[in-house]
Amino acid sequence: MDYAESNDYEYYVHYTEFNRRLDEWVKLDHLDLDSVETVVDEKVEDKVTSLKMTQHQKRKIDETRVEVGHEELDAASLRELEEFTKVKNIATIELGRYEIETWYISPFPQEYNDSLKLYFCEFCLNFMKRKEQLQRHMRKCDLKHPPGDEIYRSGTLSMFEVDGKKNKVYGQNLCYLAKLILDQKTLYYDVDLFLFYVLCECDDRGCHMVGYFSKKLSDMTAIKAEDILTTLQSLELIQYRKGQHVICADPKVLDRHLKAAGHGGLEVDVSKLI
């Protein structure tokens, strides 16, 4: 293979001791091969060695399949090895008017693994591999805001509550999108038990997502009265008078707590909650 052919390949680079969001694919001419050292990375060597199992510890992986080249690992060890050696494949996404660089790997379906860039519909969050597919989709997509209930509106800002049970595909796509920029984000394929609160900036073209948070539904909050009392007592916001607890919000105490908390973000106008 001559140099021209070898330069057609890209090489995945991880910078030791740096966050994985800095990982990148580079051409051969970006590598200084004269400075290569043949020192074995002991951390990697120890990591892989610690995953190896003895003969009597071997088990069938997931009872249905065995990964070629990793027959000696059980299911848990294989998942750990995959986590340790995974690489980022999707470099950028297009969402509305913005092209966004990704930081981390997100486990999109396998057919998207060869895509360096994905195109998202900013309203329904369906994703495609080509710009032409997105353009055709946008001519058919009838959504102009997240598929949920608008629960707040103030000026150009709106908040939508999206039920993961009613809008499962949207919830899953939102998790795929978030995982690209959040390293520790847990990807939930089963989003039935989640509510997604999507903040949008609205104009004459529709409501464009700028952020979100999620909340897991539960029949019980697991917060007991004792927990509330203890918290209020630690904040000096409650007193025990005449056989009962009474909230006592001293202005000086409140001011101290507010200063300690720092400045907040935008204030919510409760009169505009829907």
Side-chain angles (χ1 to χ4, degrees):
M1 185 191 322
D2 60 25
Y3 175 80
E5 292 176 336
S6 63
N7 203 42
D8 291 337
Y9 290 93
E10 288 187 330
Y11 300 84
Y12 191 80
V13 176
H14 170 65
Y15 301 97
T16 305
E17 305 298 334
F18 283 86
N19 192 285
R20 280 194 173 273
R21 70 170 179 264
L22 300 176
D23 293 4
E24 60 180 338
W25 291 90
V26 299
K27 294 284 190 179
L28 184 62
D29 54 12
H30 285 75
L31 300 176
D32 183 5
L33 299 181
D34 295 331
S35 64
V36 173
E37 298 180 6
T38 57
V39 177
V40 176
D41 189 331
E42 294 181 358
K43 292 183 179 179
V44 175
E45 188 74 13
D46 292 343
K47 183 76 174 181
V48 175
T49 302
S50 67
L51 294 175
K52 291 185 176 180
M53 311 294 287
T54 58
Q55 183 66 33
H56 72 277
Q57 292 175 312
K58 287 184 179 180
R59 296 178 181 176
K60 290 187 294 183
I61 297 174
D62 291 339
E63 299 298 325
T64 57
R65 66 185 181 90
V66 174
E67 291 286 341
V68 176
H70 296 300
E71 294 85 353
E72 74 277 20
L73 305 182
D74 63 10
S77 298
L78 179 61
R79 285 193 297 271
E80 187 177 357
L81 179 61
E82 289 174 342
E83 175 71 16
F84 183 69
T85 59
K86 67 185 181 182
V87 298
K88 180 177 69 176
N89 53 342
I90 297 169
T92 58
I93 62 169
E94 185 174 305
L95 180 68
R97 294 178 298 175
Y98 301 98
E99 182 175 88
I100 306 169
E101 291 185 2
T102 66
W103 280 1
Y104 303 105
I105 187 173
S106 182
F108 285 92
Q110 189 167 354
E111 59 266 31
Y112 296 91
N113 285 347
D114 60 348
S115 304
L116 291 177
K117 182 176 181 179
L118 289 181
Y119 299 85
F120 280 79
C121 171
E122 61 177 330
F123 300 119
C124 71
L125 295 188
N126 283 341
F127 46 88
M128 302 100 193
K129 299 170 71 171
R130 297 192 303 275
K131 180 78 171 183
E132 296 78 11
Q133 292 176 304
L134 176 64
Q135 291 171 339
R136 288 196 298 270
H137 169 84
M138 295 303 294
R139 288 194 289 268
K140 299 177 182 178
C141 185
D142 56 1
L143 281 179
K144 294 300 178 184
H145 57 74
D149 299 324
E150 185 182 36
I151 61 172
Y152 179 81
R153 181 187 296 182
S154 179
T156 60
L157 296 178
S158 287
M159 181 74 80
F160 291 84
E161 182 185 71
V162 181
D163 189 334
K165 187 174 183 179
K166 296 179 181 178
N167 301 279
K168 191 167 186 174
V169 174
Y170 182 91
Q172 290 174 340
N173 290 346
L174 186 54
C175 289
Y176 279 131
L177 179 60
K179 187 66 181 70
L180 290 170
I181 55 176
L182 295 173
D183 188 25
Q184 301 302 322
K185 162 98 179 138
T186 300
L187 184 66
Y188 293 102
Y189 296 99
D190 186 3
V191 295
D192 290 7
L193 297 179
F194 286 83
L195 291 176
F196 299 91
Y197 294 88
V198 185
L199 178 64
C200 296
E201 189 169 17
C202 305
D203 57 24
D204 56 357
R205 297 190 304 112
C207 298
H208 313 280
M209 182 180 70
V210 295
Y212 91 100
F213 67 91
S214 59
K215 175 183 177 182
K216 189 172 184 179
L217 296 174
S218 176
D219 294 332
M220 297 180 64
T221 64
I223 299 176
K224 300 179 181 179
E226 294 85 347
D227 300 325
I228 299 174
L229 288 174
T230 302
T231 301
L232 291 175
Q233 287 170 349
S234 67
L235 296 174
E236 300 177 32
L237 294 176
I238 196 168
Q239 294 181 6
Y240 190 74
R241 296 178 180 175
K242 298 180 180 180
Q244 62 181 353
H245 288 93
V246 179
I247 292 178
C248 182
D250 187 304
K252 292 182 180 179
V253 175
L254 286 175
D255 187 58
R256 187 173 74 243
H257 289 318
L258 291 172
K259 286 182 179 179
H263 296 290
L266 294 174
E267 292 187 2
V268 173
D269 186 347
V270 294
S271 67
K272 296 178 180 179
L273 286 171
I274 304 170

